[in-house]
Amino acid sequence: MLRQQDLGHRIVVRRIVGIREGRPLFSDALGELVELSETHLTLATAQGPLRVPVAQVHRAKRVPPTRRPTAAAVVALERAADEAWPAPTRGRLGDWLLRVADGWTGRANSALPIGDPDRPLPAAVDAVERWYAQQGQPAMINTPLPLAAPVGAELDGRGWGSRPPTLVQTARLPLSAPSDAGRTPRAGSPTAAGSPDEQPGAADEVALDHASVVIELAGAPSEEWLAVAAGRKGGLPDAARHVLTAVDQVRFAHGYANGTLVAIGRGTVTGQGRWLGLSLIEVLPAARRQGLARRVIDTLATWGASAGATHAFLQVEQRNTAAVALYQRLGFTTHHTYLTRVAPH
């Protein structure tokens, strides 16, 4: 049967879809596993998300991906992502990266265990725990899978916890044009890594005149932009401003409707100019479900391509199935997954 380690991988599911003459009827489904619970699993298929109750699953297993990224490709993308989200306080443990940003987001406050830590694995984890204790913060480690599976096994033995799995997704630029261009699907809560927030709005949700909506890009975020980000993240310490702005090539998308800021987004170009990173895509409640997240993404993608980027990446929690489905329509597929591991108290 499937396990949490299978999240983000291609699987095939044989499910029971009916009974005929006392015998079960089966149907097979192939896709990326984006959610797994005690009651159901969800696949991102070529036809869209498919939610299957566990009670209907006859058989399920992981299957080889159409293409498997090499370890070098995973390392290169993780380093590009680190460049795009730079923690102000940094250390090294051999090739491993140690990062602190006043507790603002898991990515900027966790070790990245890629490469050789210059010591045996148990001693490396001991050193990570000591370093974070010196910073006055709990130790966290981001484990790209399956690359860092040995690190994960060591942390399992020490009783470390785990945050929900995150999918690292990529697409070629220019992005695909979605077939439902006139409608934006509902998406779940955004993650720290950034995903469109297109949940149903509040009672005062209003229809927008899209001709009046303007998406502007700036080299620095406005105070309004920062206020929206602070509301989403529960504040913006000085370290957060460093994370957001300390990138050579960065643009902040401001979406205005009749002069009012209703959507934001952030794009970076890192990884020797190859990778456009998308993050902090946010639409205010009254303007959600009207395609603004997609417009912000398209604007940033156009800028990224003009800056020389050939591919885009983003990071989204696997449980945000509607956002994963939107990204799939834009051409994104899962490159690899990671777990943010948290040391026991």
Side-chain angles (χ1 to χ4, degrees), residues 3-8 33-36 143 145 162-168 191 315-320 324 336-341:
R3 302 174 297 169
Q4 291 294 318
Q5 292 93 321
D6 297 313
L7 289 164
L33 181 64
V34 296
E35 185 177 22
L36 179 62
T143 55
L145 299 174
S162 178
R163 291 184 177 179
T166 295
L167 309 181
V168 181
T191 70
Q315 296 161 316
V316 56
E317 284 190 4
Q318 57 85 16
R319 61 185 176 181
N320 193 348
V324 171
H336 63 278
T337 64
Y338 72 76
L339 293 176
T340 299
R341 306 298 303 271

Side-chain angles (χ1 to χ4, degrees), residues 9-332:
H9 294 271
R10 291 177 78 234
I11 66 167
V12 61
V13 175
R14 173 158 292 185
R15 56 196 175 108
I16 301 171
V17 295
I19 301 292
R20 178 181 297 168
E21 297 179 352
R23 303 183 65 179
L25 300 176
F26 299 104
S27 176
D28 292 342
L30 177 68
E32 292 177 1
L33 181 64
V34 296
E35 185 177 22
L36 179 62
S37 72
E38 294 181 357
T39 59
H40 67 274
L41 57 86
T42 304
L43 291 78
T45 73
Q47 293 74 41
L50 175 65
R51 191 170 187 269
V52 181
V54 170
Q56 294 180 7
V57 176
H58 176 68
R59 191 173 299 156
K61 65 177 182 179
R62 189 191 298 188
V63 296
T66 52
R67 56 181 179 84
R68 185 186 301 274
T70 64
V74 173
V75 169
L77 181 49
E78 285 291 332
R79 294 204 182 280
D82 174 68
E83 292 176 38
W85 202 254
T89 301
R90 305 172 69 86
R92 297 194 74 95
L93 192 67
D95 295 328
W96 288 19
L97 302 178
L98 309 175
R99 307 171 291 189
V100 162
D102 292 344
W104 193 74
T105 75
R107 280 179 295 160
N109 291 273
S110 58
L112 182 60
I114 53 178
D116 184 358
D118 285 344
R119 64 206 71 196
L121 182 54
V125 176
D126 289 341
V128 169
E129 292 176 337
R130 287 194 300 270
W131 191 85
Y132 279 93
Q134 293 168 359
Q135 307 303 317
Q137 292 193 187
M140 295 196 296
I141 298 179
N142 269 12
T143 55
L145 299 174
L147 180 67
V151 178
E154 173 69 21
L155 300 181
D156 288 341
R158 294 171 179 243
W160 282 49
S162 178
R163 291 184 177 179
T166 295
L167 309 181
V168 181
Q169 300 204 310
T170 62
R172 289 183 177 274
L173 294 177
L175 299 179
S176 301
S179 59
D180 57 342
R183 178 181 64 85
T184 298
R186 181 182 307 176
S189 300
T191 70
S195 61
D197 186 356
E198 297 279 329
Q199 293 177 328
D204 59 350
E205 182 175 311
V206 295
L208 295 176
D209 175 6
H210 280 260
S212 71
V213 176
V214 177
I215 310 294
E216 299 179 354
L217 297 184
S222 67
E223 289 303 314
E224 285 182 296
W225 194 105
L226 291 170
V228 174
R232 171 169 159 178
K233 294 292 188 183
L236 283 181
D238 290 341
R241 294 175 183 252
H242 178 97
V243 171
L244 292 172
T245 61
V247 182
D248 289 339
Q249 294 194 79
V250 60
R251 291 294 183 273
F252 297 86
H254 299 68
Y256 295 99
N258 298 318
T260 300
L261 185 68
V262 294
I264 67 170
R266 176 179 177 270
T268 56
V269 174
T270 60
Q272 299 182 327
R274 180 188 182 192
W275 290 104
L276 166 70
L278 297 171
S279 60
L280 283 171
I281 310 299
E282 172 81 358
V283 178
L284 297 187
R288 290 174 182 164
R289 301 187 67 196
Q290 300 186 62
L292 294 189
R294 184 176 295 145
R295 286 191 59 182
V296 167
I297 291 170
D298 287 343
T299 302
L300 289 169
T302 299
W303 166 75
S306 70
T310 57
H311 294 73
F313 78 89
L314 53 86
Q315 296 161 316
V316 56
E317 284 190 4
Q318 57 85 16
R319 61 185 176 181
N320 193 348
T321 55
V324 171
L326 169 61
Y327 292 142
Q328 185 180 46
R329 281 187 286 273
L330 292 173
F332 284 90

